[in-house]
Amino acid sequence: MNATLVLTAPAAVPLLVAAAYAAAGTGRRRLTGSAGLVSALVILACGALLAVSAAASAPGAPIRAYAGLLRGDALTAWMLLVVGAVALIACGATPAYLAGERAAGRATDRTVWRYHVLVHAFLAAMCLAVVTGNLGVLWVAVEATTIVTAFLVGHRRTRTSVEAAWKYVVICSAGIALAFLGTVLIYYAARQAGIAEAWALDWPTLVAHADRLDPAVTRLGITLIVLGFGTKAGLVPLHAWLPDAHSQAPAPVSALMSGVLLSVAFAAILRYRVIADAALGTGFTRTLLAGIALLTLALAAGLLLAQRDYKRMLAYSSMEHMSLTALAAAIGTPLALTAALLHIAGHGLAKSVAFCASGRVLHLTGTARIGRVRGLLARTPVSAGMLGCAVVALLGFPPFSLFASELALARAGFLAGGPLAWATAVALLLVLTALAALAARTSRMLLGPTPVPARIPVPARMPAPPGASEDSEGSEASEGSEGSALWPLAVGLAACTALGIWLGPLAGVLHAAAQTIGGH
Amino acid sequence: MSAIPVALATATGLGGAGALAALVVPHRARVPLVGALTAGVGAAGAAVGVTALTGTHWSAEFPNVLPLGGTYLAVDALAGWFMTIAGAVVTAVAVYGVGYAAGRPARRPAPECRAPGPGVPGPGVRGLGSRGAQAVLPLFALSLLLVPVAASVSTFLALWEAMALGSLLLVLADHRERPAVRRAGVWYAVMTHLGLVLLLTGFALFAADAGGETFAALRAGAHTLSPGVRGLVFVLVALAFTSKAGAVPLHTWLPRAYPEAPDPVSALMSATMVNLGVYGLVRTGFDLLGGGTAWWWLGVLALGGLSAVYGVLQAAMASDLKRLVAYSSSENMGLVLIGVGASGLFAAHGDRPQAALALAAALLHVVNHSAFKALLFCAAGSVVRATGLRDLDRLGGLRARMPWTAGLFALGALGAVALPPGNGFVSEWLLLQSLIHGLRVPGVAVAVVLPLSVALVALSAGIAAAAFVKALGVGFFARPRDERAAAAREAPPLMLVGAGLLAVGVVALAVAPGLFADGLGRAVSAATGPTGGGAPRGGGELGVRLADVSARMSPLWVVAALTAATLLAAGLPRLLARRRRRRVHARLWDCGGGAPTPRMAYTATSFAEPLQRVFDDVLAPEQDVDITPVRESAYLVDRVRFQRSVPDRIEHRLYEPVLRGLDRAGRAARRLANGSVHLYLGYGFAGLVVLLLALTTGW
Amino acid sequence: MEAMSTSVPIGTALTAGTAGTAGTAGTAGTAGAVGYAAVAAQILVVVAGAPLLTGWMRQVRARLEGRAGAGVLQPWRDTRKLLRKESITPVGTGPAFRAAPALLVATTVVAAALVPLLSTDTPVSSHADLIVVVALIALGTFALALAGLDTGTAFGGMGASREMTIAALVEPTILLSVFALSIPAGTTNIPAIVSGAAHEPARLASPAGLLAAAALAVAVIAETGRIPVDNPSTHLELTMIHEAMTLEYAGPDLALVELGAQMRLTLLLGLLSSLFAPWAIATSGSWAALAIALVAFAAKVCVLAAVLAAAEVLWAKVRLFRVPELLAGSFLLALLAVAASYFLNGAGS
Amino acid sequence: MTGGGAYPQLLDLACGAFLLAAVVVLWRRELTAMVRLFAFQGVALAAVAVLLGAHERRWDLVGVGLGVGALRAGVLPYVIRRTPTATVTATGSVTATATVTATGSVTATATGSVTATPTVTAAGSDASGGDDGRHRAREVGEAREVGEAREVHKAREVQEDREARPLVNVAASLLTAALLTLLAYAVARPLTELNPTPATRALPVGLAVVLIGFFVLVTRRRAPAQLVGFLLLDNGITAIAFLATSGVPLIVELGVSFDVLLAVLVLQTLTTRVRAAFGTTDIDDLRELHD
């Protein structure tokens, strides 16, 4: 297996696809949406190859390329798999989404062209962030995701989407700048610890020599890094871009952002955590992450309580799940870290399905207000069913993998004892609150009788005469045309379920990945 | 030995096949096929249970199934007891469900009756017969059977939540008919998740201190826990389990979810799912935590007593047939909890035989409750399906139009009122015996609590009688109060067969409870451990020996004697009467004012009025009298509107403040995201400054 | 303290249901022909004596009120007259209405067979559980209430409603009394309680015994629908309870209902006398003892009935919604009885 | 320049200028002045880098410093200073605006006053300056519906390059800046202690600029002003990088600079879009997305 190829392809191929889209232009020779699947499949394939090699070799022997600039260990493999899977869902759902946008008159050839180019560039940036072993490049890649997605968030050019884009870029840039400051400080500490310039930002080197880093400087650096990457991961205090951006971005982009961008940023924190724990002992990051996690969770739960917009609702739910992941990282035992990684995967899959389905709902109803959507299950049983299943998965019910990871998280939390046990208990209560809010709002949208066709009529369906039998079969049949658009969602749900029941060959790579960031 | 895994695998396979079949098979064949497969699941589960009750143990582990936890399974007699119940009920209800969901309802209510309104439910046919609901049904049945098999925290919680999810989805099946379904579903989802949080916290604490999460490890490590942690674990877990069992104060999901669920689902939930709350409590309290101290069980007793009386009072007040039956579940689970609590109390005082007796009473009541409650819900479901009505004030006269259904309901009601020769009486008798004889257990707490428990059991039995006299007398007897009730037709044969199977169980339990004694004994000793240690005749087949209890009761004798006496009493006057005449029909006494109309008949509400007045302080009914005078004079009344409702007071006092608080918090939280970039960036700036300050001040 | 210390596995207690049939001898053992005769005598004395007892009470009342009275036999005459009339079924009533009178009588008969009115040594004494007897009596109430509702009239429903309310409230008192009584005996088996009390009269004079007696007396009054809870001779809709339920009955059915009510009164008074005045009840299988017991039973019940009748003359019926207060009082007495019995009779013995 | 005694003083001077620029940015309200100050700060930053490079005789560092200086003192100010309207034309979405611009703002105001009353109100209130932002947004929303929004926007351009009403007044901001500088000194103590050199002794300056930049970012209402705040923040970080470690590895530095450039371009484009959509670059008007 060619290490360089495997490590380069995940970032390069999406970039090439983006270039191909850009070159093909908007004319007759333009690429179809399904060409986007190439990126996703390549990422998945590379992730799988890496997983095989990571599982085969000892955890200490990752593959490298370009003098360690690119580096593949089990965590890389796991994150690539997640990115690939979510990208597959998002890219799979893209053609139908764009068709809907065109039908609604909100998309032109030019915006579609730009959409494709930017999405694949976005994927490339995320993959780069995942496969690099250099913390500086990691920062550059994460910042690049902000830049690339800015115009995806603001693609509609309406007041709200421009507003969202502005907030997104300003807040994320500020946050990520702090992360850069942190990186610089770590670099400073590393240089002072006698690490050569070329290796002072190399993650494995830093991990190996972390005990020589100056604690005070490292502490400052880690604080800034957690704040900074936490911004992109949707953690407080610089979290506020998230609901705005997620609610305004196109549904597949929201899926990508919520499903993997957050966790890619969080993976960066996970990598730094290893260094910090070795340099400072576990107490510092534990307190920091646990505090941030609980604050984020409380905020998300509070804002879910009175939420009126379903895409924002899903966004806050992302914050909720990222805070759980952060809590797991704070706990930091192997079980907790495994749970965190599984949670990242499960959340990515479920949330991307939820966002893609919500995009369909938006097309169908023309509004993102929860209060104006009624009886979705009666109108479009399959789409709404997918949304419902995804929300159920997000609520943490078995057989979806989020249940397994939340369960393991709670066990690990109580096993850790002391303040962390309390934190876990508080987190569970907050999750309950969030669940209540999510369940109440989703059920309001999904359940109930078919509403009288309001502004946007359901195609090819006459309002049934009162009293006449309105069997669900009928509406299911009318949705047959949706089938092609729905397979990515079904795949996502199936994957989420499968992860929740049996990891299969992924168990090895998951545990190896947790071991990679478990440090001790 | 190999029977259990084979049967378990069969059940799992059938469940999966059922779900799959529901998704792919066309509508016409779907319901019968899924019903058959579900019945198969139940039968296989019952087979496992019965095998386990003969004393066979089995365990297995699949560490790779369920990531990060692994799946550990074990079957013992205690699990077998609950599996047998669940399997039997699932089988019968599956048969019933086929008749229920297949085809069209006997009479579709007029369109205006389908207008959303709490008292006017539509037929549940579309809901339960739909593809999604049919796919969930076998899986739900499977999860009901598998919960007792779980032998590790993760496995247990996964199956527990799967069961909760299954029931939740099935409760929602009728969401297109009634808006109340959605509200009920949300309540249920939240309450069940609250239960999960409690369970998870409790079990995770337990596992953390015991050093392992398999039940074997918990059992082994339970004694290493400090008393405080043990108590905390028990309180958390007990709250969750009693919530699932429908005990106060976490019962609010129950009276909402049961009435709104499709009727077979109500039957399944009330007859099997609530039991698993008891199972969890017994498994954790006795088996895993190994008994515990007296105050745990005093708490359980208190909850049980409170639930019993509160539940039955609400049942007596309810004028919704399904709500009445649902609250009766609260009552019966309260009785079971009294038994369980008493058992734990005795065990904590070291009297194991007495503890075994109380636990046996509780477990016997569990099975009795399952039998009659499933029967009641099936019969009530037939009524709802035939009339589209749940409101007792509109029903009536069904005994003439739905004789079989009425008979089945009467049989179930006889069990529910705990009077001989009903099956409920057998277990309540045993429960009372265990309480009465528990007084020899030393301890002032025992001496105070037991008489009160006896009184509460008695009071709940008395009020239950009133409640079911109401349900039966107002709902099925007399004359129809509504045209829909008047036009009801008997349920289709499959529904009757399904309910009939349950009726057979009820009768068997009523006349020959001894048939179940062996299994009961094993189940009890599986929970409390070898109980004969201190008793003189330990080591016997039952392992439970009781000194000093010489009371006996022979249900069969009572039934025989009653039958003979009734026949005699009915026959002798005829012989004595000199002139044998045919019965003559006559008009009812009408006080000379013309034939009484159905509107003059006593309604359920009026029936409950005296009891409501007696328990005014407990129930706190809300009355609203609205007098509209004639325009010309304030003394001449034009119209009087009188409204009274008996709200769930616990809900009022306990939940509404919480809900209001959350609502306020949500509104307040909105201000945190008011759209201002300055504010958003300010969060970050403040966070940064605070953290930097913290760092400089030496954190 | 325990009168019996035989160890009985719960399995056996349950399997007794399958094995024990009406004819088999229980644990009491020695009951022969005398035992069967005693059961028959108990049933007969309750069935035949009930109208007489009612007649006796009416006569006592009449005399106390300064009337001549209709004579002790008048209820018998009424019953005979009613039995000879044709059966009338009101329109719209169902099987419950028709079956209830027979069931009412049947429950009382079975209870009469079980309760050791005359002898503690009968073939059925092993089945004679106090809780079963209480439940049998409640079953009769249950049946009658259903019958009341089955008529579909306002009166029937009203009676049923009131009757069930009172029955529900009486239940705790009765069972607590049972509890109090069973503590010294260590069992709820009535023959065992009675024979224990007969051998050890001190139990009865104890505070527990007296309190339990008082509590049970109130409960009996409520169960039998006597003043001050209910007035059996009223037909005023504001006040009637039991009569409202049975308003639609006529002819032989009415005869059975009335007989059933009278039998319940007799039975319950008999039960009271057996429990609290267990003297002269036959404890062995001798004919002489049985004869003595019969006479003693008649005497005890007549005295009790006279006291009750006298009390009815002096008291007024209380309002329906004051009845719970009365019952709460009796409940308190029963609770005190249990407490007294536990704490005074040697706690934890 | 290479003298051992002069080096710390020169370095301190450059750093002082660097910090001074940040503080003065807080003081000044005019956008053009802010951009000019930012450019000046870029020069100071470049000077720091060059000084360091010269001191350590690392000519690559001098080169990097010069490059950074070119970017921060030249390219970025140029990008910010470019008239937003030009950018709008470039992206080709609001071409109409560009044509109107040619006629000038006075014309636009006149058109507005003739055509519709809401426009007049909006324009009038604008002229008086400093009324409630939300109120204006609403007015503008109505105006847009009438179809006259773009004219109104042009009329407002007079106000665009000033911070009309500061969120925090000047005195308070300067006081805050002082506190932030103190905080920076406190926070940077371990950094200096780790390797006490003249360069690291200047680290608090960099940190102070970071904090001040963030403060500007938080408190400024105008989009371009926020942009300047962000760039101050970034300058501070770059300064820290130079002072502490003589710059991060080249590839990272390149990536970072490229990213910053792109970020500024993106923000600049978004500024024009904000202006197109809201008729103002007042960020306070961006409050439609909330809970």
Side-chain angles (χ1 to χ4, degrees), chain A residues 188-264:
Chain A
Y188 172 52
R191 291 299 308 278
Q192 294 303 325
I195 302 173
E197 181 181 333
W199 299 103
L201 280 178
D202 187 50
W203 183 70
T205 316
L206 279 173
V207 171
H209 303 291
D211 48 339
R212 290 177 10 212
L213 300 181
D214 178 64
V217 176
T218 313
R219 195 176 292 139
L220 186 57
I222 289 298
T223 309
L224 290 166
I225 278 166
V226 169
L227 274 185
F229 284 120
T231 308
K232 290 293 281 190
L235 300 177
V236 289
L238 284 164
H239 60 277
W241 61 274
L242 193 144
D244 293 350
H246 283 45
S247 65
Q248 290 305 314
V253 177
S254 304
L256 277 175
M257 289 172 74
S258 179
V260 278
L261 177 57
L262 303 182
S263 40
V264 164

Side-chain angles (χ1 to χ4, degrees), chain B residues 552, chain C residues 113-116 124-130 132-133 188-191:
Chain B
R552 309 188 126 213
Chain C
L114 291 177
V115 174
V124 296
S125 59
S126 69
H127 301 298
D129 189 88
L130 195 43
V132 174
V133 169
T188 53
N189 184 281
I190 314 177

Side-chain angles (χ1 to χ4, degrees), chain A residues 167 306 448 470 476 499 501, chain B residues 66-68 126 131 175 670 675:
Chain A
K167 288 177 179 171
E470 223 189 293
E476 275 173 36
L499 284 184
I501 294 173
Chain B
L66 188 67
L68 311 187
R126 177 166 60 182
R131 185 172 292 172
H175 68 96
R670 269 189 200 160

Side-chain angles (χ1 to χ4, degrees), chain A residues 142-155:
Chain A
V142 173
E143 168 71 7
T145 58
T146 313
I147 292 161
V148 174
T149 42
F151 291 114
L152 284 173
V153 171
H155 77 130

Side-chain angles (χ1 to χ4, degrees), chain B residues 356-357 360 364 399 413-414 417-421 425-426 429-430 432-433 435-437 439-444 447-448 450-452 454-455 458-459 461-463 465-466 468-470 472-474 477-479 511-515 517 520 536-537 542 544-558 560-562 565-566 569-570 573-574 576-579 581-589 591 596-597 600-602 606-611 613-615, chain C residues 2 4-18 20-23 27 83-96 98-99 101-103 105-107 109-110 113-114 124 126-129 131-132 134-136 138-139 142 145-147 149-162 164-165 167-169 171-173 175-176 178-179 182-183 186-189 192 247-248 252-253 256 319-321 324 331 335 338 342-343 348-349:
Chain B
L357 176 65
L364 190 62
R399 58 154 153 59
L414 187 61
V417 297
L419 291 177
F425 176 69
V426 178
W429 179 83
L430 201 57
L432 283 172
Q433 289 295 340
L435 292 175
I436 286 177
H437 294 290
L439 212 53
R440 67 204 182 94
V441 175
V444 175
V448 172
L450 289 185
L452 285 176
V454 167
L459 183 62
I463 301 177
F468 280 94
V469 162
K470 181 176 85 167
L472 195 58
V474 176
F477 293 173
R479 278 171 294 166
V511 297
L515 291 178
L520 182 58
R537 291 197 211 164
L542 285 171
V544 180
R545 291 287 183 274
L546 276 182
D548 307 333
V549 174
S550 55
R552 309 188 126 213
M553 202 267 295
S554 319
L556 193 60
W557 186 91
V558 173
L562 262 182
T566 312
R574 299 210 164 199
L576 290 175
R578 232 177 256 166
R579 289 162 293 181
R581 290 194 192 166
R582 287 195 301 126
R583 281 188 165 264
V584 183
H585 287 272
R587 268 172 56 192
L588 289 167
W589 168 242
C591 304
T597 67
M600 294 178 188
Y602 238 48
S606 33
F607 185 91
E609 206 265 356
L611 262 180
R613 282 178 73 157
V614 172
F615 291 97
Chain C
E2 276 76 17
M4 307 188 76
S5 57
T6 38
S7 301
V8 179
I10 54 158
T12 318
L14 287 163
T15 35
T18 45
T21 46
T27 48
L83 280 173
R84 283 176 185 169
K85 285 181 177 283
E86 60 191 4
S87 300
I88 291 180
T89 307
V91 176
T93 56
R98 259 164 278 146
L103 196 59
V105 172
T107 54
V109 166
V110 174
L114 291 177
V124 296
S126 69
H127 301 298
D129 189 88
I131 300 174
V132 174
V134 169
L136 280 173
L139 179 65
F142 182 73
L146 279 176
L149 277 172
D150 197 22
T151 60
T153 62
F155 283 123
M158 186 181 73
S161 164
R162 293 174 176 178
M164 290 315 294
T165 304
L169 298 177
E171 205 86 343
T173 305
L175 277 180
L176 269 188
V178 169
F179 194 173
S182 67
I183 291 171
T187 175
T188 53
N189 184 281
L247 205 60
E248 293 296 337
D253 287 339
L256 280 180
R319 279 177 55 214
L320 179 64
F321 292 107
F331 174 75
L335 196 63
V338 175
Y342 181 78
F343 288 108
S349 60

